[in-house]
Amino acid sequence: MSAVDLLIAAGVALLAGGINSIAGGGSLILFPVLVALGLGTVAANVTNSVAQWPGYIGGVLGFRNEYSGQRGRMIRFSVVAVLGGTVGSVLLLTTPTEAFDTVVPVLVFLASTLLAFQTMITKRLKKQPEGVVHADPVWLYVMLFLATVYGGYFGGALGVILVGVLGLGLGRLKLANAMKSAISLVTASVTVVVFGIWGPVEWAYVAVCAPAALLGGFLGAKVATRIPTTPLRVLIVAFGIGVSIYLFLRT
C-alpha cells in the first residue's frame, strides 16, 4: 500500500465516522474503498470494523447529554449488544456469507420504512402519562439482538437498522439516535476483540483510519444534536433507502 492509499482511506474514514453519528451506514463507504485499494472482501470487512471503532467513541461523547437518566437502559442494551456482536463475529469467521448477504438489503429497507412511519405508528399507541417509567417491550430486545448479530457479521448500515428499531421502540428519535451510537460502540468493541485476535486485519489502514473515524464521529454527533427531528428523520430514511439499494446491487 502507498502513502496515497493511506491518505485516501483516512479521508474516507473521516467522512464515514461523521455519517455513522448522523445517520448510520458510514461503514458502507469505507468498505468498498478498502476493496478498491486491493484488500479482499473479508480482510476489508474486518479492517473496516476495527477502524470504525474509535468513530463510535466520538459519537457517544458527542451525544453524552442525551444519555441523562438512561443508565439502566444502556446497561441492558449493552448486554444484548455483547451477545449479538459475539455471535455475529464468530459467524463471519466460520460460515460463508452468501445467504446472509441476500437478506441484508431487505433488513435495511424494512428498518428505513419503519422509521419513515414511526410518527404515525406511535400516535396510534396508547399515550403514557408523563413522568412514569415504563419497561421497554420484549420485542425491542429481540430486534436489537438480531441487529447486533448483523453488526458483528458485517456492520454496514447497522446504525440505520438500529435507529429504525429504536425509533419505534423508544418513541423519541433523538434518544434513539444517541442510543444507536452507544449500541454500535459496544458491538464494535466486540468485533475489535474477535477480529483483532482471529481476523485478517490490515493494521496499517487501521492506524490511519481509526483516528480519522474518531474525529468524524465526534463532529457528526455535534451536527446531529442540532438537527430538528423531522429533517433528521427524512435524512436517515433517505440514506437508509440508498444503502439498501447499494446492498441489493452488490449481492
Side-chain angles (χ1 to χ4, degrees), residues 54-69:
Y56 295 121
I57 297 178
V60 169
L61 291 175
F63 280 123
R64 60 187 179 276
N65 293 333
E66 301 292 331
Y67 299 126
S68 177

Side-chain angles (χ1 to χ4, degrees), residues 22-23 173-174 224 226-238:
I22 296 173
L173 184 59
K174 289 188 176 181
R226 288 167 171 76
I227 298 177
T229 298
T230 299
L232 179 60
R233 179 180 292 110
V234 172
L235 173 64
I236 295 173
V237 170

Side-chain angles (χ1 to χ4, degrees), residues 19-111:
I19 291 176
N20 275 334
S21 288
I22 296 173
S27 295
L28 294 175
I29 298 176
L30 184 56
F31 171 72
V33 168
L34 291 175
V35 173
L37 291 175
L39 297 187
T41 54
V42 174
N45 190 16
V46 298
T47 301
N48 185 25
S49 296
V50 175
Q52 291 288 336
W53 178 71
Y56 295 121
I57 297 178
V60 169
L61 291 175
F63 280 123
R64 60 187 179 276
N65 293 333
E66 301 292 331
Y67 299 126
S68 177
Q70 301 296 321
R71 181 180 178 182
R73 176 178 279 148
M74 288 187 68
I75 291 175
R76 295 190 297 272
F77 287 176
S78 295
V79 171
V80 174
V82 169
L83 295 174
T86 300
V87 172
S89 299
V90 172
L91 283 174
L92 175 65
L93 297 179
T94 58
T95 63
T97 63
E98 289 82 0
F100 199 86
D101 285 345
T102 301
V103 303
V104 169
V106 178
L107 292 176
V108 177
F109 181 79
L110 289 178

Side-chain angles (χ1 to χ4, degrees), residues 19-251:
I19 291 176
N20 275 334
S21 288
I22 296 173
S27 295
L28 294 175
I29 298 176
L30 184 56
F31 171 72
V33 168
L34 291 175
V35 173
L37 291 175
L39 297 187
T41 54
V42 174
N45 190 16
V46 298
T47 301
N48 185 25
S49 296
V50 175
Q52 291 288 336
W53 178 71
Y56 295 121
I57 297 178
V60 169
L61 291 175
F63 280 123
R64 60 187 179 276
N65 293 333
E66 301 292 331
Y67 299 126
S68 177
Q70 301 296 321
R71 181 180 178 182
R73 176 178 279 148
M74 288 187 68
I75 291 175
R76 295 190 297 272
F77 287 176
S78 295
V79 171
V80 174
V82 169
L83 295 174
T86 300
V87 172
S89 299
V90 172
L91 283 174
L92 175 65
L93 297 179
T94 58
T95 63
T97 63
E98 289 82 0
F100 199 86
D101 285 345
T102 301
V103 303
V104 169
V106 178
L107 292 176
V108 177
F109 181 79
L110 289 178
S112 302
T113 303
L114 183 68
L115 180 59
F117 292 98
Q118 184 256 338
T119 302
M120 181 185 302
I121 296 172
T122 53
K123 283 182 178 179
R124 292 178 177 274
L125 299 177
K126 181 179 179 181
K127 294 183 178 180
Q128 306 291 354
E130 292 185 7
V132 179
V133 178
H134 297 275
D136 296 320
V138 174
W139 67 261
L140 177 58
Y141 290 90
V142 175
M143 293 302 296
L144 288 178
F145 174 75
L146 295 176
T148 53
V149 168
Y150 163 70
Y153 191 88
F154 179 65
L158 173 62
V160 175
I161 296 173
L162 289 176
V163 172
V165 172
L166 290 166
L168 179 61
L170 302 180
R172 295 165 55 189
L173 184 59
K174 289 188 176 181
L175 175 59
N177 209 26
M179 282 293 180
K180 170 262 297 178
S181 289
I183 295 171
S184 296
L185 172 60
V186 175
T187 306
S189 298
V190 172
T191 64
V192 166
V193 174
V194 176
F195 296 157
I197 297 174
W198 293 287
V201 178
E202 291 290 343
W203 291 105
Y205 281 119
V206 172
V208 297
C209 290
L214 172 61
L215 177 60
F218 181 78
L219 296 176
K222 289 299 184 181
V223 172
T225 56
R226 288 167 171 76
I227 298 177
T229 298
T230 299
L232 179 60
R233 179 180 292 110
V234 172
L235 173 64
I236 295 173
V237 170
F239 191 85
I241 293 174
V243 164
S244 67
I245 295 173
Y246 167 82
L247 288 173
F248 177 76
L249 293 177
R250 69 178 290 272
T251 54

